[in-house]
Amino acid sequence: MLEDLEGPLDDDIFVSRDAEYGRKLMKTVKSWVREMRKKKRVEKQQTERDNLGEDGWFSDVGGEDDLHSLKGSDDENVDNVVWNDAMDRQDVDLCIGMKFPSREKYREALRDWAVRRGWDLTFVKNEKTKITAICKNGCDWRIHASPVMKTTTFQIKSIKGQHNCAHRIENKQANYKYIGKRIQDFVKDNPSEGLKSLKNKIRRDIQVDVSLFKVYRAKKYALELMKGDVKQQYARLYDYCATVCKHNSGSSMILKVDRCLNPPVLQRMYVCFGGLKEGFLDGCRPFIGLDGCFLKGMHKGQLLSAIGRDGNDNIYPIAMAYVEIEKHDSWEWFLNLLLRDIGSHDERGWAFISDRQKGLIEAVTQLAPRAEHRFCLRHMYNNFKGKFKGQELKNLFWKAASTYNVKEHLRIMKELRRLTRKEGKNRLQLNGLLKFHPITGQDVFFQSKHTVM
């Protein structure tokens, strides 16, 4: 290597140097340049602080001095507290240097910290790279947090001033999601708790005053946290059916989807667990009750069910189905799958009981024409009392239905007809509730034993 040196007569003098000397010289120059840049940057920051004054705010987000903004802000320092899931429901004091896995987790911790102390906050900066909050009442307290070295980890960089304001019972930071998380355990143990009593509990425990509408939304959110999101559960029905069939052999899980729409819409779902099916076939009577009910949740529809009776006269579920509406086509679809799983009437000799749903009667007649099909007495009485009112007629109705003796049944029916004639009622109105008995030659109820589902 040749180095150019200036001689006394401005003549160029070239002196031979080795390569190691050149590398040392370049390293020295680079180090000197870095020191000069760092000195200028510190002077510029100090000038900005002086211009802002004592009440101003300076953020060092994104600069190279993040490593030096706090003592020991590197990840290896164990003095800085790292937020974990166990702290979510604890009253933890926030301090300088505390780290959070994400910006959202820091916002949740800051909200909980402020509500527990009765402070309402205003966010001066609420950005992706910086969050600065001050007291809403006007005191000189403020807190600032920003990412660590451009990562998703948020860290509290500074806390200034002190709170000198009183506890506020009306706090905007206590939104319905925050309250829902705080009352989740209570709602789980008391799902039927009223809104007014729940509002008083929130005022006592969380020390905030909220409206009944916010209490309603908080309770609804708490139930969603326990039960999960309904829309996400509908999206995983295929996974649920596959899991049930894998771990509960003999189960039938059938989905009917309308693929003409985008995204596809669930129309019907049939569920028959293998364990329940085997228990019904092995230890229950050949008796099946059929009924349907409305679903009052977010997604409307109707739930069809098949219920049996065990040896102790307890209700035993057999199968169920979600359908769009209770009609002949849906009942036929449900009964066809049910008889496929438990066997036809010719094999088992099933007896059915139901209400007088039009589509259900035709479906049973079509799929099990020789099966005994009777009607629920409670539904029959609802039709009876619409035309024949009074406690005396009610008592005679239930006596006629609950007796095992045919003569006693006929005697009660005779008395029932006498009272209806006495009141001027047309006896032909009873034809919808009576059936001709081939042995006695007289009318009797559809069923001679009180049976209520």
Side-chain angles (χ1 to χ4, degrees):
M1 176 181 179
L2 297 178
E3 184 178 357
D4 186 8
L5 300 177
E6 297 291 337
L9 300 178
D10 276 343
D11 294 335
D12 291 337
I13 302 175
F14 293 90
V15 180
S16 177
R17 301 286 189 185
D18 56 355
E20 183 65 24
Y21 176 80
R23 285 194 293 270
K24 291 181 179 180
L25 181 62
M26 292 300 296
K27 186 175 182 181
T28 303
V29 173
K30 290 181 180 180
S31 177
W32 177 79
V33 171
R34 284 196 299 269
E35 292 293 333
M36 291 297 296
R37 289 178 178 176
K38 183 177 179 181
K39 183 177 180 181
K40 291 180 179 180
R41 185 166 57 251
V42 173
E43 291 177 354
K44 181 180 178 180
Q45 293 176 356
Q46 185 63 38
T47 302
E48 292 178 355
R49 291 192 183 96
D50 295 339
N51 294 334
L52 289 175
E54 294 181 357
D55 295 334
W57 183 254
F58 174 77
S59 174
D60 59 351
V61 177
E64 295 182 5
D65 287 337
D66 275 354
L67 293 176
H68 308 284
S69 60
L70 291 171
K71 181 180 179 181
S73 63
D74 54 318
D75 293 337
E76 290 78 9
N77 196 320
V78 297
D79 294 334
N80 295 329
V81 180
V82 179
W83 192 271
N84 53 55
D85 295 338
M87 299 180 180
D88 286 342
R89 297 191 178 186
Q90 299 177 3
D91 187 7
V92 180
D93 278 328
L94 303 186
C95 58
I96 298 178
M98 183 176 289
K99 296 182 180 180
F100 303 86
S102 62
R103 176 182 179 273
E104 291 74 18
K105 184 62 68 174
Y106 168 69
R107 283 293 306 269
E108 293 178 6
L110 180 60
R111 184 187 304 275
D112 182 70
W113 189 52
V115 174
R116 290 181 185 273
R117 285 153 184 78
W119 302 336
D120 202 354
L121 305 180
T122 297
F123 289 90
V124 180
K125 296 289 184 180
N126 189 14
E127 303 173 2
K128 187 176 180 180
T129 57
K130 65 182 78 171
I131 296 179
T132 304
I134 62 176
C135 179
K136 194 172 184 178
N137 293 344
C139 64
D140 61 349
W141 179 90
R142 63 173 64 201
I143 185 171
H144 173 73
S146 60
V148 178
M149 298 182 66
K150 299 180 180 181
T151 62
T152 59
T153 303
F154 251 67
Q155 187 178 36
I156 299 176
K157 299 298 178 65
S158 62
I159 300 177
K160 292 184 177 181
Q162 292 183 352
H163 272 286
N164 52 17
C165 50
H167 188 283
R168 292 181 61 88
I169 197 168
E170 295 180 356
N171 198 326
K172 296 296 183 182
Q173 298 302 316
N175 56 19
Y176 77 95
K177 290 186 177 181
Y178 171 78
I179 298 175
K181 291 180 181 179
R182 290 285 299 271
I183 65 175
Q184 180 179 352
D185 293 337
F186 179 79
V187 174
K188 183 178 181 180
D189 298 333
N190 306 275
S192 60
E193 187 73 17
L195 295 181
K196 291 186 178 180
S197 60
L198 191 58
K199 177 182 178 180
N200 295 332
K201 180 175 178 56
I202 293 173
R203 187 182 179 94
R204 290 192 304 268
D205 297 347
I206 308 180
Q207 297 182 359
V208 292
D209 189 16
V210 294
S211 63
L212 287 177
F213 180 69
K214 183 177 286 189
V215 175
Y216 165 75
R217 297 184 68 186
K219 182 179 179 180
K220 182 179 178 181
Y221 183 72
L223 293 174
E224 290 179 357
L225 292 177
M226 294 183 291
K227 298 179 180 180
D229 190 356
V230 177
K231 293 183 179 180
Q232 294 181 0
Q233 293 177 7
Y234 268 91
R236 303 196 63 181
L237 280 179
Y238 282 108
D239 297 336
Y240 172 73
C241 294
T243 303
V244 170
C245 293
K246 179 180 178 181
H247 297 283
N248 192 349
S249 60
S251 300
S252 297
M253 307 288 291
I254 299 175
L255 297 176
K256 185 178 180 181
V257 181
D258 185 4
R259 299 189 179 278
C260 297
L261 302 176
N262 188 19
V265 176
L266 175 67
Q267 285 186 326
R268 298 173 183 175
M269 180 178 179
Y270 172 80
V271 178
C272 181
F273 297 112
L276 293 177
K277 179 177 65 175
E278 294 177 2
F280 172 72
L281 295 176
D282 293 341
C284 294
R285 304 172 183 177
F287 172 82
I288 301 174
L290 302 174
D291 200 1
C293 64
F294 291 96
L295 298 178
K296 300 181 180 179
M298 180 185 302
H299 304 278
K300 307 298 181 181
Q302 289 190 266
L303 184 69
L304 309 182
S305 59
I307 306 297
R309 290 270 191 173
D310 60 12
N312 295 325
D313 269 346
N314 295 324
I315 293 177
Y316 189 94
I318 306 172
M320 67 191 77
Y322 162 78
V323 295
E324 67 279 11
I325 192 173
E326 190 177 1
K327 57 182 180 179
H328 171 70
D329 182 60
S330 58
W331 274 115
E332 181 184 4
W333 178 80
F334 175 62
L335 289 176
N336 189 27
L337 296 175
L338 176 65
L339 295 176
R340 187 197 66 175
D341 286 336
I342 64 176
S344 63
H345 167 70
D346 297 335
E347 297 175 6
R348 300 283 184 170
W350 304 120
F352 296 95
I353 184 172
S354 66
D355 57 1
R356 294 193 171 188
Q357 179 68 27
K358 294 181 179 179
L360 176 57
I361 297 176
E362 284 80 359
V364 174
T365 304
Q366 179 180 351
L367 297 176
R370 290 181 293 274
E372 184 74 19
H373 187 192
R374 299 196 177 190
F375 301 103
C376 175
L377 199 59
R378 187 174 296 278
H379 289 84
M380 293 176 64
Y381 176 70
N382 290 334
N383 297 332
F384 176 84
K385 70 179 182 180
K387 301 176 181 179
F388 305 99
K389 302 182 183 298
Q391 186 65 33
E392 187 175 8
L393 291 176
K394 177 182 177 181
N395 295 335
L396 290 175
F397 178 93
W398 288 105
K399 285 182 180 180
S402 59
T403 181
Y404 287 93
N405 192 303
V406 177
K407 292 184 179 181
E408 181 67 15
H409 173 78
L410 296 176
R411 186 189 65 79
I412 298 174
M413 289 298 298
K414 183 178 179 180
E415 179 67 16
L416 189 61
R417 284 192 293 269
R418 186 185 65 82
L419 290 177
T420 55
R421 292 194 189 100
K422 183 178 179 181
E423 295 180 2
K425 302 294 184 179
N426 187 358
R427 184 229 175 263
L428 296 177
Q429 290 179 306
L430 284 172
N431 287 341
L433 301 174
L434 300 179
K435 183 178 180 182
F436 180 75
H437 197 280
I439 299 178
T440 62
Q442 302 186 41
D443 292 336
V444 296
F445 272 112
F446 265 93
Q447 46 200 96
S448 58
K449 176 67 180 73
H450 173 176
T451 307
V452 180
M453 289 298 295

